[in-house]
């Protein structure tokens, strides 16, 4: 041993006979020397890292005494590692880091824009006076009611959505606006607002769309003619007898599935994007596929049957289906404007001024107290049935066989859906599952409890009612619930390539025997004729 | 208090048709031990659930559809799957499953399949027990966006299959669990940064309703299940 005494780990220092002071050197000077040597050893700098143990221990102890974590002895190695790490960071800082714009900063900038009041307030005040105030929904109030049920977004997010809706109203000419809900996606989510535009604004857009489609049709026709000419020059290829079913025209803006216009954004603070109106073909296809939303509106939907459109159209179609299926209100809140309940005119409903809200217990107890106020979508994909073959007179230029069409036209039956203000107790359930589940928000305070309705067909759709106030909302992935697994449609059977006829059908080649027999028969016939011919010649001679 | 748990977590809520089950988990000192679960219909009276057995799991997979909301509701197996029911009858038991058993099995499945924790949050001591890592400072923003920084909190299945090269990089005290990277089908997790990156949210697409959150650079993380308790078997069609 040197003048200092190493103590091996594991020694029981508190047991008699092992205490360090038993081997005490009586000479205090030698003890001081031992201490100095120990300290010198600790101060010895390591050849590899330039640190020394003494400083390192000092740093560790300082850190421990500053932070005072619990059970220090268990994590002492980690603390030691951290201290060493900290040393290295400061030394190697020769490069200056680029000041990275933190994503939080960018998001905060966007939200800040929401909070800034617009400078164009004067113009807006004038507009408001002329056209009447657009109604900004009180999102916070609705959020409060839904919170009673345990559904909803955080207060921060609700407030941001509130401000973005206010922005939307200032930018677009809007008559009524409502927060529809939030649909989750893989990369980003969608926040959706349901809007009714002022009446003058919609016509311009439909005119543009018609011009667009007319131009496309002309192009198609031009191409078709060229192809027809080419085909005639070559040998006539069999023409396909496939006629795609006629396209069902979409409903006008402002009626049926297109009653409301929807704006979406990914996060509050982002600019609102308008979703295109939905066509029946899209709804019919959306019923057959089940896809997650990615969060980007221009993402393609790869599916079978192929979806006519991209994610924006699929989103719009799902929104239409959810609205038609789950928008409910207390029975009697809305009544028909006209006494006649013809289906085509039954779109107009208005608030019933004499509506007396039933007590919450009744709202929860029976489903007859709630009624749909959105029209259901028929199988065709529209709310109002239309016979697609009636108006096909215009497109008959390229069609050849009219007879087939008329036959098919007779087969389609008029589809009828549920009448407009049907009560939800008439909704079909699936197997044993009722279509709706009703609950009161709390049993403990019945005076202030709110009646909550959850849809089982579209999980994520909720409605609440409390006195005269009610609202619907959707938070979810955007898919319908089905007790069976989703089975994609099978591809249709392969078409027969050509019509079978006597010219093309295969027959078995005659066997050798048959050929010989046929040849003999022919020769006999020839021989018979020759004999006759000879005889005739003989006779003539 | 009665059962001497060190920590109690609120696991989530399974919504039945007529009511919802609220589930809580209690943990002992070893975090990796099988957990005891309690359920309640009104958050006031809690009942202990027995641990799941393999039979329960196998039987519960036969059941499809929503939970009823009544723990004593009995599913008649004979209607659903005659073979399984026949086997049960031979074994001398009745071919019914109580909803409680289905609940137990479902919670166990969800935990096993999609219960996740960030990397480094738990350490394994050389003795084999698992503790929270006091020194866990949270994932950085970069790490938080990667699926490989999150682990399943169950017995690892794939760990041994990794190549030796990959194993050399692992730190046996923190990397003793399966990471999310190799989950089948690919893309069954959705990672989103909310609020400009202050919170990272992972949602499972296999069990719709499982949400995991973590605030980067802090110790806060957790997951909760809020849904109908049904596996999303249509996942491959939906991606």
């Amino acid at each position: 041993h040197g003048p200092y005494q190493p103590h091996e780990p594991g020694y029981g220092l508190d047991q008699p006979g092992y205490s360090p002071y038993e081997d005490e050197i009586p000479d205090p000077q030698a003890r001081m020397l031992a201490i100095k040597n120990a300290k010198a050893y600790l101060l010895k700098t390591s050849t590899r890292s330039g640190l020394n143990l003494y400083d390192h221990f000092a740093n560790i102890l300082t850190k421990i005494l500053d932070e005072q974590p619990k059970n220090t002895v268990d994590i002492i190695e980690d603390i030691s590692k951290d201290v060493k790490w900290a040393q290295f960071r400061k030394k190697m800082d020769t490069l200056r880091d680029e000041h990275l714009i933190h994503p939080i900063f960018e998001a905060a900038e966007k939200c800040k824009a929401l909070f800034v009041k617009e400078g164009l307030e004067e113009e807006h005040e004038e507009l408001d006076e002329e056209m009447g105030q657009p109604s900004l929904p009180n999102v916070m109030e609705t959020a409060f009611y839904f919170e009673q049920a345990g559904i909803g977004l955080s207060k921060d997010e609700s407030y941001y959505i509130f401000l973005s809706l206010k922005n939307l109203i200032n930018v677009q000419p809007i008559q009524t606006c409502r927060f529809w809900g939030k649909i989750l996606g893989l990369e980003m989510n969608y926040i959706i607002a349901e809007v009714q535009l002022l009446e003058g604004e919609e016509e311009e857009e439909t005119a543009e769309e018609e011009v667009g489609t007319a131009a496309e049709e002309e192009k198609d026709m031009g191409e078709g003619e060229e192809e027809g000419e080419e085909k005639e020059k070559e040998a006539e290829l069999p023409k396909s007898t496939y006629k795609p079913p006629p396209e069902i025209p979409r409903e006008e803006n402002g009626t049926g599935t297109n009653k409301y216009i929807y704006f979406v954004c990914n996060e509050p603070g982002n600019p609102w994007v308008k979703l295109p109106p939905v066509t029946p073909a899209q709804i019919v296809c959306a019923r057959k596929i089940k896809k997650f939303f990615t969060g980007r509106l221009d993402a393609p939907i790869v599916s079978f049957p192929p979806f006519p459109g991209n994610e924006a159209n699929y989103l719009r179609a799902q929104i239409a289906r959810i609205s038609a299926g789950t928008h409910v209100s207390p029975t009697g809140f809305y009544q028909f404007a006209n006494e006649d309940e013809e289906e085509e005119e039954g779109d107009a409903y208005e608030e019933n001024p004499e509506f007396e809200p039933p007590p919450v217990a009744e709202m929860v107890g029976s489903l007859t107290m709630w009624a749909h106020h959105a029209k259901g979508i028929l199988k065709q994909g529209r709310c109002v049935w239309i016979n697609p073959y009636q108006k096909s007179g215009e497109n008959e230029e390229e069609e050849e066989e009219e007879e087939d069409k008329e036959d098919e036209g007779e087969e389609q039956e008029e589809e009828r859906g549920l009448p407009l203000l049907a009560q939800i107790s008439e909704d079909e359930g699936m197997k044993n599952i009722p279509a709706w589940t009703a609950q009161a928000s709390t049993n403990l305070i019945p005076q202030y409890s709110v009646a909550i309705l959850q849809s089982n067909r579209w999980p994520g759709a909720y409605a609440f009612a409390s006195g005269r106030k009610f609202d619907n909302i959707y938070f979810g992935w955007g898919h319908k619930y089905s007790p069976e697994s989703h089975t994609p449609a099978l591809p249709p059977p392969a078409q027969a390539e050509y019509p079978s006829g006597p010219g093309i059908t295969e027959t078995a080649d005659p066997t050798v025997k048959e050929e010989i027999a046929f040849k003999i028969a022919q020769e006999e016939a020839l021989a018979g004729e020759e004999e006759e011919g000879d005889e005739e010649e003989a006779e003539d001679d | 208090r009665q059962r001497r748990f060190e920590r109690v977590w609120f696991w989530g809520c399974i919504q039945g048709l007529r009511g919802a089950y609220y589930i809580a988990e209690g943990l002992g000192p070893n975090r990796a031990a099988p957990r005891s679960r309690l359920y309640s219909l009104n958050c006031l009276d809690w009942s202990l659930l027995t641990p799941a057995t393999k039979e329960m799991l196998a039987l519960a997979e036969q059941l499809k559809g929503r939970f009823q909301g009544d723990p004593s509701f009995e599913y008649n197996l004979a209607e659903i799957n005659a073979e399984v029911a026949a086997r049960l009858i031979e074994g001398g038991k009745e071919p019914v499953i109580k909803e409680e058993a289905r609940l137990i099995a479902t919670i166990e499945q969800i935990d096993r399949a999609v219960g996740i924790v960030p990397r480094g949050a738990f350490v394994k001591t050389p003795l084999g027990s698992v503790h929270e890592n006091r020194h866990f400072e949270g994932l950085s923003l970069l790490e938080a966006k990667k699926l490989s920084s999150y682990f399943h909190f169950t017995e690892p299945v794939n760990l041994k299959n990794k190549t030796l090269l990959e194993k050399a990089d692992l730190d046996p005290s923190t990397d003793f669990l399966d990471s999310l990277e190799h989950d089948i089908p690919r893309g069954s997790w959705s990672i989103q940064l909310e609020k400009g990156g202050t919170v990272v949210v992972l949602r499972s697409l296999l069990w719709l309703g499982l949400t995991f959150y973590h605030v980067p650079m802090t110790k806060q993380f957790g997951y909760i299940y809020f849904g109908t308790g049904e596996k999303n078997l249509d996942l491959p069609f939906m991606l």
Side-chain angles (χ1 to χ4, degrees):
Chain A
H1 294 312
Y4 53 91
Q5 287 110 18
H7 287 279
E8 292 150 35
Y11 260 106
L13 292 175
D14 51 349
Q15 289 176 16
Y18 291 93
S19 145
Y21 300 108
E22 301 225 352
D23 305 320
E24 203 174 13
I25 301 169
D27 191 354
Q29 280 224 342
R31 189 152 44 116
M32 291 299 298
L33 189 59
I35 291 177
K36 274 196 203 158
N37 278 340
K39 192 169 173 182
Y41 170 68
L42 291 178
L43 277 169
K44 226 196 304 187
T45 34
S46 144
T47 45
R48 276 200 291 170
S49 59
L51 301 171
N52 63 40
L53 196 53
Y54 189 80
D55 285 337
H56 188 61
F57 273 141
N59 288 339
I60 293 183
L61 286 173
T62 323
K63 181 166 178 176
I64 291 179
L65 290 173
D66 279 341
E67 293 180 4
Q68 308 226 341
K70 288 187 192 169
N71 285 353
T72 318
V73 67
D74 292 331
I75 49 175
I76 186 84
E77 289 86 4
D78 288 324
I79 295 182
S80 164
K81 244 200 288 181
D82 273 348
V83 169
K84 279 192 191 162
W85 215 29
Q87 296 271 345
F88 278 121
R89 256 191 245 164
K90 286 174 196 168
K91 283 187 182 175
M92 291 171 26
D93 223 336
T94 47
L95 292 173
R96 250 196 230 168
D97 284 328
E98 246 187 56
H99 183 63
L100 291 172
I101 300 179
H102 216 258
I104 302 182
F105 179 68
E106 285 181 3
E109 281 280 305
K110 281 187 196 158
C111 291
K112 191 174 158 192
L114 283 178
F115 285 91
V116 170
K117 264 196 182 176
E118 288 181 351
L120 303 168
E121 280 184 28
E122 299 172 5
E123 290 185 22
H124 280 287
E125 285 176 14
E126 291 176 14
L127 279 177
D128 286 349
E129 287 172 13
E130 288 174 11
M131 297 193 185
Q133 295 244 339
S135 48
L136 175 66
N138 193 346
V139 174
M140 299 312 288
E141 196 181 345
T142 336
F144 167 74
Y145 282 114
F146 276 116
E147 201 184 327
Q148 301 287 305
I151 306 150
L153 307 168
S154 68
K155 287 247 169 63
D156 286 349
E157 202 169 342
S158 300
Y159 203 73
Y160 285 141
I161 293 177
F162 198 13
L163 291 173
S164 335
L165 284 178
K166 181 169 88 82
N167 258 359
L168 179 63
I169 287 184
N170 288 340
V171 168
Q172 303 268 353
I174 287 177
Q175 198 180 3
T176 58
C177 170
R178 197 175 78 84
F179 174 51
W180 186 90
K182 181 172 175 180
I183 288 190
L184 304 170
L186 292 180
E187 295 167 24
M188 289 181 285
N189 306 326
Y190 290 116
I191 296 178
I192 301 166
E194 184 183 73
V195 148
Q196 259 183 333
L197 290 182
L198 294 174
E199 293 179 10
E201 305 293 328
E202 300 171 22
E203 294 174 10
E204 295 174 10
E205 298 160 24
T206 46
E208 286 175 16
E209 286 179 27
E210 284 177 15
V211 166
T213 45
E216 285 177 22
E217 281 177 15
E218 288 174 9
K219 271 192 226 163
D220 284 339
M221 281 169 56
E223 289 173 10
E225 287 174 7
E226 289 174 14
E227 287 178 13
E229 289 174 9
E230 287 178 18
K231 276 190 185 170
E232 287 174 11
K233 288 176 196 166
E234 302 169 1
E236 271 202 25
L237 298 167
K239 298 217 174 135
S240 106
T241 50
Y242 171 69
K243 275 168 196 37
E247 195 182 314
I248 302 173
R250 68 175 175 83
E251 292 178 296
E252 290 294 312
N253 291 353
T255 63
T257 45
N258 285 322
K259 183 162 187 190
Y260 295 100
I261 299 198
Y262 293 91
F263 284 87
V264 297
C265 71
N266 284 121
E267 286 200 4
N270 287 5
W272 291 92
V273 177
K274 183 170 171 183
L275 285 181
V278 67
T279 64
Q282 287 167 358
I283 291 190
V284 166
C285 195
R287 283 184 172 143
K288 296 185 191 158
I289 63 176
K290 198 173 177 187
K291 281 264 169 191
F292 278 119
F293 294 99
T294 60
R296 289 167 288 127
L297 283 174
D298 50 356
I301 307 269
V302 180
S303 67
F304 184 80
F307 187 78
N310 57 13
E311 181 154 321
N313 303 98
Y314 184 47
L315 181 63
R316 180 70 181 81
Q318 291 293 90
I319 294 177
R321 288 171 71 199
I322 294 176
S323 299
T326 63
H327 276 192
V328 295
S329 55
T331 309
F333 191 84
Y334 288 117
Q335 67 179 10
F336 283 114
N338 312 327
E339 286 297 319
D340 306 327
E341 289 184 27
E342 291 181 28
E343 284 180 19
E344 296 176 21
E345 298 179 15
D347 253 2
Y349 54 82
E350 56 183 22
E351 288 187 27
N352 183 354
E354 299 162 19
F355 171 65
E356 285 178 18
V360 170
E362 269 186 46
M363 301 288 291
V364 172
S366 80
L367 292 177
T368 55
M369 307 303 299
W370 298 81
H372 285 282
H373 63 259
K375 260 195 170 176
I377 304 184
L378 305 170
K379 263 193 182 173
Q380 207 182 32
R382 295 170 49 107
C383 287
V384 175
W385 192 80
I386 194 172
N387 189 349
Y389 296 104
Q390 281 174 357
K391 293 185 184 172
S392 50
E394 303 166 359
N395 294 339
E396 279 183 18
E397 298 172 9
E398 296 180 10
E399 315 288 351
E400 294 174 358
E401 294 148 47
E402 303 173 3
E403 300 166 356
D404 288 0
K405 259 195 327 180
E406 286 176 354
D407 289 342
E408 292 173 20
E410 290 171 7
E411 289 175 5
Q412 280 204 4
E413 296 174 3
E414 188 173 336
E415 299 176 22
R416 289 185 183 276
L418 288 175
L420 181 54
L421 292 181
Q423 292 165 352
I424 65 175
S425 50
E426 298 179 24
D427 276 351
E428 296 171 6
M430 305 150 286
K431 284 193 179 179
N432 312 326
I433 305 172
W436 295 89
T437 304
Q439 288 174 332
S441 62
T442 162
N443 292 328
L444 300 172
I445 309 180
Q447 308 94 298
Y448 290 109
S449 76
V450 174
I452 311 280
L453 207 56
Q454 283 178 16
S455 169
N456 291 328
R457 277 201 288 172
W458 291 97
Y462 302 98
F464 83 88
S466 163
R468 288 197 75 102
K469 293 198 205 301
F470 77 93
D471 204 353
N472 304 286
I473 208 160
Y474 183 83
F475 291 118
W477 295 93
H479 297 117
K480 193 167 187 175
Y481 175 76
S482 70
E484 293 93 21
S485 305
H486 167 76
T487 45
L490 290 173
Q495 273 186 317
E497 290 174 3
Y498 42 81
S500 47
I504 320 179
T505 40
E506 288 181 0
T507 47
D509 268 349
T511 62
V512 178
K513 283 189 188 171
E514 291 177 14
E515 278 193 5
I516 294 179
F518 186 68
K519 207 173 171 188
I520 295 177
Q522 261 197 335
E523 286 175 359
E524 287 176 358
L526 269 180
E529 289 177 8
E530 285 175 8
E531 285 176 9
E532 292 177 7
D534 286 345
E535 288 173 5
E536 289 176 3
E537 286 178 9
E539 289 174 2
D540 286 344
D541 287 347
Chain B
R1 182 186 20 118
Q2 287 167 346
R3 311 191 201 268
R4 296 196 205 132
F5 295 135
E6 269 197 14
R7 306 211 35 199
V8 178
W9 284 340
F10 180 59
W11 183 88
C13 175
I14 293 189
Q15 288 176 329
L17 285 178
R18 272 167 274 170
Y21 295 107
Y22 297 92
I23 319 269
E25 273 186 340
L27 297 174
N30 183 3
R31 301 285 183 257
R35 303 176 177 182
S36 5
R37 299 191 174 102
L38 305 131
Y39 81 96
S40 154
L41 292 166
N42 55 7
C43 283
L44 287 176
D45 312 310
W46 296 88
S47 336
L48 187 62
L49 290 171
T50 54
T53 61
K54 280 193 190 168
E55 301 166 351
M56 269 199 248
L57 288 175
L59 288 177
E61 282 193 24
Q62 307 288 333
L63 297 172
K64 287 187 188 165
R66 300 280 302 269
F67 280 84
Q68 292 295 326
D70 176 16
S72 52
F73 180 82
E74 294 185 345
Y75 294 93
N76 195 348
L77 265 186
E79 291 170 12
I80 300 172
N81 191 337
E83 295 176 9
V84 178
R87 253 184 278 147
L88 271 184
I89 295 180
E90 288 169 22
K93 303 179 199 166
E94 291 182 7
V96 289
I97 297 190
K98 280 183 130 190
E99 176 141 311
E100 210 176 280
R102 185 179 174 203
L103 189 65
I104 297 172
T106 311
I107 302 176
E108 181 70 29
Q109 273 179 333
I110 293 180
D111 253 352
R112 258 193 224 166
V114 290
I116 57 178
V117 292
R119 177 171 181 267
F122 287 89
V123 278
K124 196 169 188 177
T125 63
L127 301 172
S129 60
V130 175
H131 295 279
E132 282 153 1
N133 185 0
R134 289 291 165 57
H135 217 59
F136 177 57
E137 290 289 336
L139 301 172
S140 69
L141 253 189
L142 271 183
E143 283 176 16
K145 284 194 221 165
K146 290 195 234 162
L147 267 185
S148 54
S149 344
Y150 301 98
F151 290 152
H152 288 280
F153 197 59
T154 51
E155 297 294 322
V157 174
N158 289 333
L159 210 57
K160 297 175 191 166
N161 298 341
K162 287 196 176 178
T163 62
L164 264 182
L165 208 58
E166 287 174 3
K167 276 198 213 170
D169 286 333
L170 299 179
D171 179 9
S173 63
T174 53
D175 291 318
F176 56 98
L177 301 165
D178 275 338
S179 106
L180 291 189
E181 259 185 326
H182 306 290
D183 261 6
I184 296 167
R186 285 202 107 175
S188 64
W189 289 91
S190 132
I191 297 193
Q192 285 171 6
L193 290 174
E194 299 222 352
K195 271 192 164 188
T198 43
V199 177
V200 64
V201 176
L202 268 87
R203 292 198 179 92
S204 162
L205 303 175
L206 189 57
W207 291 92
L208 284 179
L210 191 284
T211 315
F212 168 87
Y213 75 91
H214 174 54
V215 184
M217 303 315 286
T218 67
K219 286 186 77 169
Q220 296 170 4
F221 67 90
Y223 69 85
I224 198 168
Y225 181 83
F226 197 84
T228 61
E230 287 169 293
K231 200 167 181 179
N232 182 16
L233 292 168
D234 305 330
L235 185 59
F237 294 119
M238 293 168 82
L239 285 176

